[in-house]
Amino acid sequence: MEYQRALSSSISRKSLDISGIYPPICTPYNHDESITFDKLEYNMKKWNQIPFKGYVVQGSNAEWCFQSWDERVQVVRETARLAAPGRVIMAGSGCESTRDTIRMCKDMSEAGAHALLVVNPFYFKDNMTSDALVAHFTAVADHSPLPIVMYNVPRNTGVDIPVDAVVKLAQHHNIIGIKDSGGDITRIASIVFATASSDFQVLAGSAGFLLAAYNVGCVGGICALANVLGEETCRLADLAQSNDLKAAMDLQLRLVGPNSCVTKRFGVPGLKTSMEWFGYYGGPPRSPLQSLSDNQVQAIKSEFQKSFFL
């Protein structure tokens, strides 16, 4: 923990390199839906053996929207304590109001984070114009003690942060990047191109388009599939930056089916189910999410088998 705090204190805004692969880690629950920190430690010991750049804590796969304020902060604190030395802790800090987001950023900083992943407000989505989002992220970045990584996940929020807003916000000294989970490679390429002079880092939000994202200038990925196939996701990142295009393409194609199962097809319950097959603790989701039916479990297993991971 002291090492992690020292890393935080040495970070001066845009100097933080966030390139690489991050699993957006799941929150392990007991069957009574309480958080089981011993299982978090169990999973972290295994993840610490994989060459991740760091961990995203309280991203979408953590089910943060079902947690209390204190739970969100406590999971970050424990993950920072358990992480291998040198791993970047990126903490999900988005809230619906600007003032709560600022307060959460400060609490996550004290819990041991090094960077903050901030999803856009979305409840009043029709009012989340480019101007409103620029005002929100600017205020958050102005007051945050740590660098901000914006989080664009339109499938969950119903809001696609406009490219013009991203480009404007990329000029802020305390906004260092964006995780884009939309899967629109043209949009991602446009952001990379338009922010090239702003020392701005773009991360792919899924292993399903990781190779394409690297090919248009992304520096890494925050990938749900890395919870399960961490070595393989890191391997794809390495291949994407090598001259072995065929090996990169072959691995990318094998990852597409399993990735789809643990993201848009079956979501967090699918991810947690598949974790169990690879020696991790997945456990149940927190309600209202429901565990999968036997038929759904078999559908996921079939995709992993077809891709030769099981």
Side-chain angles (χ1 to χ4, degrees):
M1 188 61 153
E2 290 181 1
Y3 184 99
Q4 298 288 349
R5 286 174 177 163
L7 181 59
S8 286
S9 66
S10 70
I11 291 167
S12 59
R13 305 303 191 251
K14 291 275 190 179
S15 67
L16 178 61
D17 176 9
I18 57 172
S19 62
I21 299 299
Y22 302 73
I25 65 174
C26 292
T27 303
Y29 296 115
N30 292 302
H31 286 284
D32 65 1
E33 298 191 6
S34 61
I35 298 173
T36 169
F37 287 101
D38 61 329
K39 298 301 185 184
L40 175 62
E41 182 173 12
Y42 173 82
N43 286 343
M44 287 295 294
K45 286 180 179 177
K46 293 174 65 66
W47 286 324
N48 280 337
Q49 303 305 309
I50 299 172
F52 294 132
K53 181 60 173 280
Y55 303 105
V56 167
V57 195
Q58 299 301 9
S60 298
N61 290 289
E63 303 168 77
W64 65 267
C65 53
F66 301 150
Q67 295 178 26
S68 69
W69 187 286
D70 288 344
E71 285 178 323
R72 289 179 68 180
V73 175
Q74 187 179 10
V75 172
V76 170
R77 183 180 296 112
E78 287 300 304
T79 305
R81 181 181 68 84
L82 295 166
R87 299 286 169 100
V88 174
I89 303 298
M90 194 182 300
S93 304
C95 300
E96 278 300 298
S97 74
T98 304
R99 62 182 294 175
D100 276 350
T101 304
I102 292 169
R103 188 160 65 94
M104 181 63 82
C105 287
K106 293 176 179 178
D107 283 359
M108 290 304 195
S109 173
E110 293 175 0
H114 306 122
L116 304 169
L117 184 69
V118 178
V119 69
N120 56 278
F122 54 86
Y123 186 84
F124 294 108
K125 56 178 57 62
D126 290 344
N127 299 100
M128 291 301 103
T129 62
S130 185
D131 287 345
L133 291 172
V134 168
H136 170 76
F137 279 107
T138 298
V140 171
D142 283 346
H143 292 89
S144 172
L146 293 176
I148 299 296
V149 178
M150 295 182 288
Y151 181 17
N152 186 55
V153 56
R155 182 178 179 85
N156 289 359
T157 66
V159 176
D160 219 0
I161 303 175
V163 172
D164 68 285
V166 175
V167 173
K168 184 177 293 186
L169 289 163
Q171 300 171 38
H172 194 288
H173 73 281
N174 202 27
I175 298 178
I176 64 171
I178 187 170
K179 173 194 177 184
D180 200 305
S181 297
D184 183 341
I185 292 299
T186 301
R187 169 193 160 90
I188 291 172
S190 297
I191 291 172
V192 171
F193 179 76
T195 61
S197 63
S198 300
D199 198 15
F200 191 72
Q201 301 167 82
V202 182
L203 296 169
S206 175
F209 54 88
L210 186 60
L211 177 58
Y214 268 108
N215 284 340
V216 298
C218 286
V219 300
I222 299 172
C223 307
L225 190 62
N227 283 280
V228 183
L229 298 177
E231 293 280 4
E232 292 81 359
T233 307
C234 290
R235 173 66 175 157
L236 178 57
D238 289 342
L239 288 170
Q241 299 169 87
S242 74
N243 293 321
D244 196 343
L245 179 59
K246 183 180 186 308
M249 190 177 300
D250 288 346
L251 181 53
Q252 175 66 91
L253 293 175
R254 288 178 62 208
L255 292 175
V256 168
N259 181 77
S260 177
C261 285
V262 304
T263 54
K264 62 182 180 180
R265 283 187 66 187
F266 300 107
V268 176
L271 177 58
K272 287 189 164 184
T273 295
S274 64
M275 287 173 67
E276 300 281 351
W277 303 330
F278 294 87
Y280 297 96
Y281 177 83
R286 184 173 271 187
S287 59
L289 290 180
Q290 299 292 299
S291 296
L292 303 184
S293 68
D294 290 344
N295 287 340
Q296 290 173 320
V297 171
Q298 187 53 50
I300 298 177
K301 184 169 287 187
S302 176
E303 288 292 341
F304 277 84
Q305 289 170 336
K306 285 191 294 186
S307 296
F308 307 105
F309 293 118
L310 282 177

PDB file of all heavy atoms in Angstrom, residues 204-235:
ATOM      1  N   ALA A 204      -9.295   1.072 -25.696  1.00  0.00           N
ATOM      2  CA  ALA A 204     -10.439   0.304 -26.194  1.00  0.00           C
ATOM      3  C   ALA A 204     -11.221  -0.253 -25.013  1.00  0.00           C
ATOM      4  O   ALA A 204     -10.641  -0.662 -24.006  1.00  0.00           O
ATOM      5  CB  ALA A 204      -9.960  -0.835 -27.086  1.00  0.00           C
ATOM      6  N   GLY A 205     -12.530  -0.307 -25.146  1.00  0.00           N
ATOM      7  CA  GLY A 205     -13.363  -0.773 -24.053  1.00  0.00           C
ATOM      8  C   GLY A 205     -13.794  -2.215 -24.165  1.00  0.00           C
ATOM      9  O   GLY A 205     -14.671  -2.653 -23.423  1.00  0.00           O
ATOM     10  N   SER A 206     -13.188  -2.979 -25.074  1.00  0.00           N
ATOM     11  CA  SER A 206     -13.584  -4.373 -25.249  1.00  0.00           C
ATOM     12  C   SER A 206     -12.497  -5.138 -25.985  1.00  0.00           C
ATOM     13  O   SER A 206     -11.827  -4.589 -26.876  1.00  0.00           O
ATOM     14  CB  SER A 206     -14.894  -4.464 -26.036  1.00  0.00           C
ATOM     15  OG  SER A 206     -15.230  -5.811 -26.319  1.00  0.00           O
ATOM     16  N   ALA A 207     -12.343  -6.414 -25.621  1.00  0.00           N
ATOM     17  CA  ALA A 207     -11.387  -7.274 -26.332  1.00  0.00           C
ATOM     18  C   ALA A 207     -11.889  -7.643 -27.715  1.00  0.00           C
ATOM     19  O   ALA A 207     -11.117  -8.097 -28.563  1.00  0.00           O
ATOM     20  CB  ALA A 207     -11.125  -8.549 -25.525  1.00  0.00           C
ATOM     21  N   GLY A 208     -13.176  -7.442 -27.987  1.00  0.00           N
ATOM     22  CA  GLY A 208     -13.741  -7.807 -29.277  1.00  0.00           C
ATOM     23  C   GLY A 208     -13.222  -6.977 -30.434  1.00  0.00           C
ATOM     24  O   GLY A 208     -13.252  -7.424 -31.579  1.00  0.00           O
ATOM     25  N   PHE A 209     -12.749  -5.756 -30.155  1.00  0.00           N
ATOM     26  CA  PHE A 209     -12.190  -4.915 -31.218  1.00  0.00           C
ATOM     27  C   PHE A 209     -10.818  -4.376 -30.816  1.00  0.00           C
ATOM     28  O   PHE A 209     -10.382  -3.324 -31.285  1.00  0.00           O
ATOM     29  CB  PHE A 209     -13.146  -3.763 -31.589  1.00  0.00           C
ATOM     30  CG  PHE A 209     -13.589  -2.891 -30.437  1.00  0.00           C
ATOM     31  CD1 PHE A 209     -12.844  -1.791 -30.043  1.00  0.00           C
ATOM     32  CD2 PHE A 209     -14.766  -3.170 -29.755  1.00  0.00           C
ATOM     33  CE1 PHE A 209     -13.258  -0.974 -29.001  1.00  0.00           C
ATOM     34  CE2 PHE A 209     -15.196  -2.359 -28.702  1.00  0.00           C
ATOM     35  CZ  PHE A 209     -14.437  -1.251 -28.332  1.00  0.00           C
ATOM     36  N   LEU A 210     -10.112  -5.122 -29.991  1.00  0.00           N
ATOM     37  CA  LEU A 210      -8.830  -4.648 -29.470  1.00  0.00           C
ATOM     38  C   LEU A 210      -7.788  -4.480 -30.571  1.00  0.00           C
ATOM     39  O   LEU A 210      -7.064  -3.474 -30.608  1.00  0.00           O
ATOM     40  CB  LEU A 210      -8.321  -5.608 -28.391  1.00  0.00           C
ATOM     41  CG  LEU A 210      -7.051  -5.189 -27.648  1.00  0.00           C
ATOM     42  CD1 LEU A 210      -7.251  -3.856 -26.931  1.00  0.00           C
ATOM     43  CD2 LEU A 210      -6.642  -6.269 -26.638  1.00  0.00           C
ATOM     44  N   LEU A 211      -7.689  -5.443 -31.475  1.00  0.00           N
ATOM     45  CA  LEU A 211      -6.696  -5.349 -32.547  1.00  0.00           C
ATOM     46  C   LEU A 211      -6.978  -4.142 -33.435  1.00  0.00           C
ATOM     47  O   LEU A 211      -6.065  -3.369 -33.761  1.00  0.00           O
ATOM     48  CB  LEU A 211      -6.691  -6.632 -33.378  1.00  0.00           C
ATOM     49  CG  LEU A 211      -5.750  -6.648 -34.589  1.00  0.00           C
ATOM     50  CD1 LEU A 211      -4.307  -6.401 -34.174  1.00  0.00           C
ATOM     51  CD2 LEU A 211      -5.879  -7.978 -35.341  1.00  0.00           C
ATOM     52  N   ALA A 212      -8.219  -3.971 -33.814  1.00  0.00           N
ATOM     53  CA  ALA A 212      -8.578  -2.817 -34.646  1.00  0.00           C
ATOM     54  C   ALA A 212      -8.276  -1.510 -33.917  1.00  0.00           C
ATOM     55  O   ALA A 212      -7.818  -0.536 -34.533  1.00  0.00           O
ATOM     56  CB  ALA A 212     -10.061  -2.892 -35.016  1.00  0.00           C
ATOM     57  N   ALA A 213      -8.522  -1.484 -32.614  1.00  0.00           N
ATOM     58  CA  ALA A 213      -8.265  -0.274 -31.834  1.00  0.00           C
ATOM     59  C   ALA A 213      -6.778   0.063 -31.808  1.00  0.00           C
ATOM     60  O   ALA A 213      -6.386   1.228 -31.978  1.00  0.00           O
ATOM     61  CB  ALA A 213      -8.800  -0.453 -30.412  1.00  0.00           C
ATOM     62  N   TYR A 214      -5.939  -0.937 -31.604  1.00  0.00           N
ATOM     63  CA  TYR A 214      -4.495  -0.699 -31.659  1.00  0.00           C
ATOM     64  C   TYR A 214      -4.089  -0.191 -33.039  1.00  0.00           C
ATOM     65  O   TYR A 214      -3.228   0.692 -33.169  1.00  0.00           O
ATOM     66  CB  TYR A 214      -3.725  -1.978 -31.327  1.00  0.00           C
ATOM     67  CG  TYR A 214      -3.367  -2.127 -29.865  1.00  0.00           C
ATOM     68  CD1 TYR A 214      -4.003  -3.063 -29.061  1.00  0.00           C
ATOM     69  CD2 TYR A 214      -2.370  -1.345 -29.286  1.00  0.00           C
ATOM     70  CE1 TYR A 214      -3.671  -3.221 -27.712  1.00  0.00           C
ATOM     71  CE2 TYR A 214      -2.038  -1.483 -27.944  1.00  0.00           C
ATOM     72  CZ  TYR A 214      -2.677  -2.416 -27.168  1.00  0.00           C
ATOM     73  OH  TYR A 214      -2.342  -2.563 -25.846  1.00  0.00           O
ATOM     74  N   ASN A 215      -4.708  -0.731 -34.068  1.00  0.00           N
ATOM     75  CA  ASN A 215      -4.331  -0.356 -35.432  1.00  0.00           C
ATOM     76  C   ASN A 215      -4.656   1.091 -35.770  1.00  0.00           C
ATOM     77  O   ASN A 215      -4.078   1.657 -36.707  1.00  0.00           O
ATOM     78  CB  ASN A 215      -5.009  -1.279 -36.443  1.00  0.00           C
ATOM     79  CG  ASN A 215      -4.355  -2.647 -36.500  1.00  0.00           C
ATOM     80  OD1 ASN A 215      -3.219  -2.815 -36.085  1.00  0.00           O
ATOM     81  ND2 ASN A 215      -5.080  -3.634 -37.017  1.00  0.00           N
ATOM     82  N   VAL A 216      -5.592   1.699 -35.019  1.00  0.00           N
ATOM     83  CA  VAL A 216      -5.905   3.117 -35.272  1.00  0.00           C
ATOM     84  C   VAL A 216      -5.327   4.019 -34.191  1.00  0.00           C
ATOM     85  O   VAL A 216      -5.653   5.209 -34.139  1.00  0.00           O
ATOM     86  CB  VAL A 216      -7.425   3.357 -35.425  1.00  0.00           C
ATOM     87  CG1 VAL A 216      -7.979   2.599 -36.619  1.00  0.00           C
ATOM     88  CG2 VAL A 216      -8.184   3.016 -34.147  1.00  0.00           C
ATOM     89  N   GLY A 217      -4.468   3.486 -33.336  1.00  0.00           N
ATOM     90  CA  GLY A 217      -3.741   4.353 -32.422  1.00  0.00           C
ATOM     91  C   GLY A 217      -4.101   4.279 -30.962  1.00  0.00           C
ATOM     92  O   GLY A 217      -3.584   5.072 -30.157  1.00  0.00           O
ATOM     93  N   CYS A 218      -4.974   3.352 -30.562  1.00  0.00           N
ATOM     94  CA  CYS A 218      -5.229   3.180 -29.131  1.00  0.00           C
ATOM     95  C   CYS A 218      -3.979   2.656 -28.437  1.00  0.00           C
ATOM     96  O   CYS A 218      -3.142   1.978 -29.049  1.00  0.00           O
ATOM     97  CB  CYS A 218      -6.398   2.219 -28.898  1.00  0.00           C
ATOM     98  SG  CYS A 218      -8.012   2.930 -29.264  1.00  0.00           S
ATOM     99  N   VAL A 219      -3.871   2.936 -27.140  1.00  0.00           N
ATOM    100  CA  VAL A 219      -2.664   2.552 -26.400  1.00  0.00           C
ATOM    101  C   VAL A 219      -2.892   1.350 -25.492  1.00  0.00           C
ATOM    102  O   VAL A 219      -1.967   0.902 -24.814  1.00  0.00           O
ATOM    103  CB  VAL A 219      -2.130   3.732 -25.570  1.00  0.00           C
ATOM    104  CG1 VAL A 219      -1.789   4.910 -26.467  1.00  0.00           C
ATOM    105  CG2 VAL A 219      -3.130   4.155 -24.480  1.00  0.00           C
ATOM    106  N   GLY A 220      -4.103   0.832 -25.470  1.00  0.00           N
ATOM    107  CA  GLY A 220      -4.389  -0.305 -24.613  1.00  0.00           C
ATOM    108  C   GLY A 220      -5.872  -0.587 -24.563  1.00  0.00           C
ATOM    109  O   GLY A 220      -6.639  -0.096 -25.406  1.00  0.00           O
ATOM    110  N   GLY A 221      -6.272  -1.375 -23.575  1.00  0.00           N
ATOM    111  CA  GLY A 221      -7.674  -1.742 -23.469  1.00  0.00           C
ATOM    112  C   GLY A 221      -8.084  -2.074 -22.053  1.00  0.00           C
ATOM    113  O   GLY A 221      -7.287  -2.582 -21.260  1.00  0.00           O
ATOM    114  N   ILE A 222      -9.314  -1.747 -21.745  1.00  0.00           N
ATOM    115  CA  ILE A 222      -9.966  -2.158 -20.491  1.00  0.00           C
ATOM    116  C   ILE A 222     -11.007  -3.171 -20.918  1.00  0.00           C
ATOM    117  O   ILE A 222     -12.051  -2.815 -21.469  1.00  0.00           O
ATOM    118  CB  ILE A 222     -10.594  -0.964 -19.764  1.00  0.00           C
ATOM    119  CG1 ILE A 222      -9.520   0.070 -19.404  1.00  0.00           C
ATOM    120  CG2 ILE A 222     -11.333  -1.428 -18.510  1.00  0.00           C
ATOM    121  CD1 ILE A 222     -10.068   1.369 -18.849  1.00  0.00           C
ATOM    122  N   CYS A 223     -10.701  -4.441 -20.711  1.00  0.00           N
ATOM    123  CA  CYS A 223     -11.437  -5.525 -21.361  1.00  0.00           C
ATOM    124  C   CYS A 223     -12.011  -6.499 -20.349  1.00  0.00           C
ATOM    125  O   CYS A 223     -11.259  -7.132 -19.587  1.00  0.00           O
ATOM    126  CB  CYS A 223     -10.509  -6.284 -22.310  1.00  0.00           C
ATOM    127  SG  CYS A 223      -9.653  -5.236 -23.511  1.00  0.00           S
ATOM    128  N   ALA A 224     -13.340  -6.668 -20.362  1.00  0.00           N
ATOM    129  CA  ALA A 224     -13.992  -7.606 -19.448  1.00  0.00           C
ATOM    130  C   ALA A 224     -13.398  -9.004 -19.574  1.00  0.00           C
ATOM    131  O   ALA A 224     -13.202  -9.702 -18.574  1.00  0.00           O
ATOM    132  CB  ALA A 224     -15.495  -7.636 -19.713  1.00  0.00           C
ATOM    133  N   LEU A 225     -13.092  -9.394 -20.798  1.00  0.00           N
ATOM    134  CA  LEU A 225     -12.586 -10.745 -21.034  1.00  0.00           C
ATOM    135  C   LEU A 225     -11.259 -10.995 -20.320  1.00  0.00           C
ATOM    136  O   LEU A 225     -10.909 -12.142 -20.042  1.00  0.00           O
ATOM    137  CB  LEU A 225     -12.427 -10.989 -22.538  1.00  0.00           C
ATOM    138  CG  LEU A 225     -12.141 -12.427 -22.974  1.00  0.00           C
ATOM    139  CD1 LEU A 225     -13.286 -13.368 -22.598  1.00  0.00           C
ATOM    140  CD2 LEU A 225     -11.880 -12.483 -24.478  1.00  0.00           C
ATOM    141  N   ALA A 226     -10.536  -9.938 -20.002  1.00  0.00           N
ATOM    142  CA  ALA A 226      -9.253 -10.096 -19.301  1.00  0.00           C
ATOM    143  C   ALA A 226      -9.426 -10.649 -17.900  1.00  0.00           C
ATOM    144  O   ALA A 226      -8.480 -11.191 -17.321  1.00  0.00           O
ATOM    145  CB  ALA A 226      -8.512  -8.763 -19.257  1.00  0.00           C
ATOM    146  N   ASN A 227     -10.617 -10.547 -17.332  1.00  0.00           N
ATOM    147  CA  ASN A 227     -10.892 -11.203 -16.050  1.00  0.00           C
ATOM    148  C   ASN A 227     -10.725 -12.707 -16.157  1.00  0.00           C
ATOM    149  O   ASN A 227     -10.354 -13.374 -15.192  1.00  0.00           O
ATOM    150  CB  ASN A 227     -12.335 -10.911 -15.593  1.00  0.00           C
ATOM    151  CG  ASN A 227     -12.519  -9.538 -15.013  1.00  0.00           C
ATOM    152  OD1 ASN A 227     -12.200  -9.280 -13.865  1.00  0.00           O
ATOM    153  ND2 ASN A 227     -13.050  -8.634 -15.821  1.00  0.00           N
ATOM    154  N   VAL A 228     -11.021 -13.237 -17.339  1.00  0.00           N
ATOM    155  CA  VAL A 228     -11.056 -14.680 -17.569  1.00  0.00           C
ATOM    156  C   VAL A 228      -9.831 -15.134 -18.348  1.00  0.00           C
ATOM    157  O   VAL A 228      -9.129 -16.075 -17.954  1.00  0.00           O
ATOM    158  CB  VAL A 228     -12.329 -15.059 -18.361  1.00  0.00           C
ATOM    159  CG1 VAL A 228     -12.412 -16.565 -18.548  1.00  0.00           C
ATOM    160  CG2 VAL A 228     -13.575 -14.526 -17.677  1.00  0.00           C
ATOM    161  N   LEU A 229      -9.576 -14.487 -19.467  1.00  0.00           N
ATOM    162  CA  LEU A 229      -8.472 -14.840 -20.357  1.00  0.00           C
ATOM    163  C   LEU A 229      -7.441 -13.709 -20.351  1.00  0.00           C
ATOM    164  O   LEU A 229      -7.170 -13.063 -21.368  1.00  0.00           O
ATOM    165  CB  LEU A 229      -9.000 -15.090 -21.775  1.00  0.00           C
ATOM    166  CG  LEU A 229     -10.001 -16.242 -21.939  1.00  0.00           C
ATOM    167  CD1 LEU A 229     -10.504 -16.333 -23.377  1.00  0.00           C
ATOM    168  CD2 LEU A 229      -9.385 -17.574 -21.514  1.00  0.00           C
ATOM    169  N   GLY A 230      -6.875 -13.470 -19.200  1.00  0.00           N
ATOM    170  CA  GLY A 230      -5.940 -12.358 -19.049  1.00  0.00           C
ATOM    171  C   GLY A 230      -4.668 -12.529 -19.849  1.00  0.00           C
ATOM    172  O   GLY A 230      -4.218 -11.589 -20.524  1.00  0.00           O
ATOM    173  N   GLU A 231      -4.076 -13.700 -19.793  1.00  0.00           N
ATOM    174  CA  GLU A 231      -2.841 -13.952 -20.537  1.00  0.00           C
ATOM    175  C   GLU A 231      -3.077 -13.771 -22.034  1.00  0.00           C
ATOM    176  O   GLU A 231      -2.250 -13.183 -22.745  1.00  0.00           O
ATOM    177  CB  GLU A 231      -2.326 -15.366 -20.255  1.00  0.00           C
ATOM    178  CG  GLU A 231      -1.849 -15.595 -18.832  1.00  0.00           C
ATOM    179  CD  GLU A 231      -0.441 -15.062 -18.588  1.00  0.00           C
ATOM    180  OE1 GLU A 231       0.129 -14.450 -19.517  1.00  0.00           O
ATOM    181  OE2 GLU A 231       0.063 -15.249 -17.476  1.00  0.00           O
ATOM    182  N   GLU A 232      -4.203 -14.287 -22.513  1.00  0.00           N
ATOM    183  CA  GLU A 232      -4.495 -14.218 -23.945  1.00  0.00           C
ATOM    184  C   GLU A 232      -4.765 -12.773 -24.387  1.00  0.00           C
ATOM    185  O   GLU A 232      -4.354 -12.368 -25.486  1.00  0.00           O
ATOM    186  CB  GLU A 232      -5.697 -15.101 -24.270  1.00  0.00           C
ATOM    187  CG  GLU A 232      -5.435 -16.597 -24.114  1.00  0.00           C
ATOM    188  CD  GLU A 232      -5.527 -17.097 -22.675  1.00  0.00           C
ATOM    189  OE1 GLU A 232      -5.779 -16.283 -21.753  1.00  0.00           O
ATOM    190  OE2 GLU A 232      -5.338 -18.307 -22.471  1.00  0.00           O
ATOM    191  N   THR A 233      -5.444 -12.001 -23.547  1.00  0.00           N
ATOM    192  CA  THR A 233      -5.707 -10.608 -23.897  1.00  0.00           C
ATOM    193  C   THR A 233      -4.413  -9.806 -23.943  1.00  0.00           C
ATOM    194  O   THR A 233      -4.198  -8.989 -24.854  1.00  0.00           O
ATOM    195  CB  THR A 233      -6.694  -9.983 -22.898  1.00  0.00           C
ATOM    196  OG1 THR A 233      -7.869 -10.796 -22.795  1.00  0.00           O
ATOM    197  CG2 THR A 233      -7.117  -8.594 -23.347  1.00  0.00           C
ATOM    198  N   CYS A 234      -3.537 -10.035 -22.982  1.00  0.00           N
ATOM    199  CA  CYS A 234      -2.227  -9.368 -22.998  1.00  0.00           C
ATOM    200  C   CYS A 234      -1.400  -9.816 -24.201  1.00  0.00           C
ATOM    201  O   CYS A 234      -0.668  -9.015 -24.804  1.00  0.00           O
ATOM    202  CB  CYS A 234      -1.472  -9.657 -21.699  1.00  0.00           C
ATOM    203  SG  CYS A 234      -2.162  -8.842 -20.233  1.00  0.00           S
ATOM    204  N   ARG A 235      -1.515 -11.078 -24.554  1.00  0.00           N
ATOM    205  CA  ARG A 235      -0.805 -11.599 -25.715  1.00  0.00           C
ATOM    206  C   ARG A 235      -1.285 -10.905 -26.989  1.00  0.00           C
ATOM    207  O   ARG A 235      -0.473 -10.549 -27.859  1.00  0.00           O
ATOM    208  CB  ARG A 235      -1.025 -13.114 -25.828  1.00  0.00           C
ATOM    209  CG  ARG A 235      -0.480 -13.771 -27.089  1.00  0.00           C
ATOM    210  CD  ARG A 235       1.022 -13.720 -27.164  1.00  0.00           C
ATOM    211  NE  ARG A 235       1.535 -14.455 -28.317  1.00  0.00           N
ATOM    212  CZ  ARG A 235       2.724 -14.229 -28.867  1.00  0.00           C
ATOM    213  NH1 ARG A 235       3.530 -13.312 -28.373  1.00  0.00           N
ATOM    214  NH2 ARG A 235       3.112 -14.946 -29.909  1.00  0.00           N
TER     215      ARG A 235
END
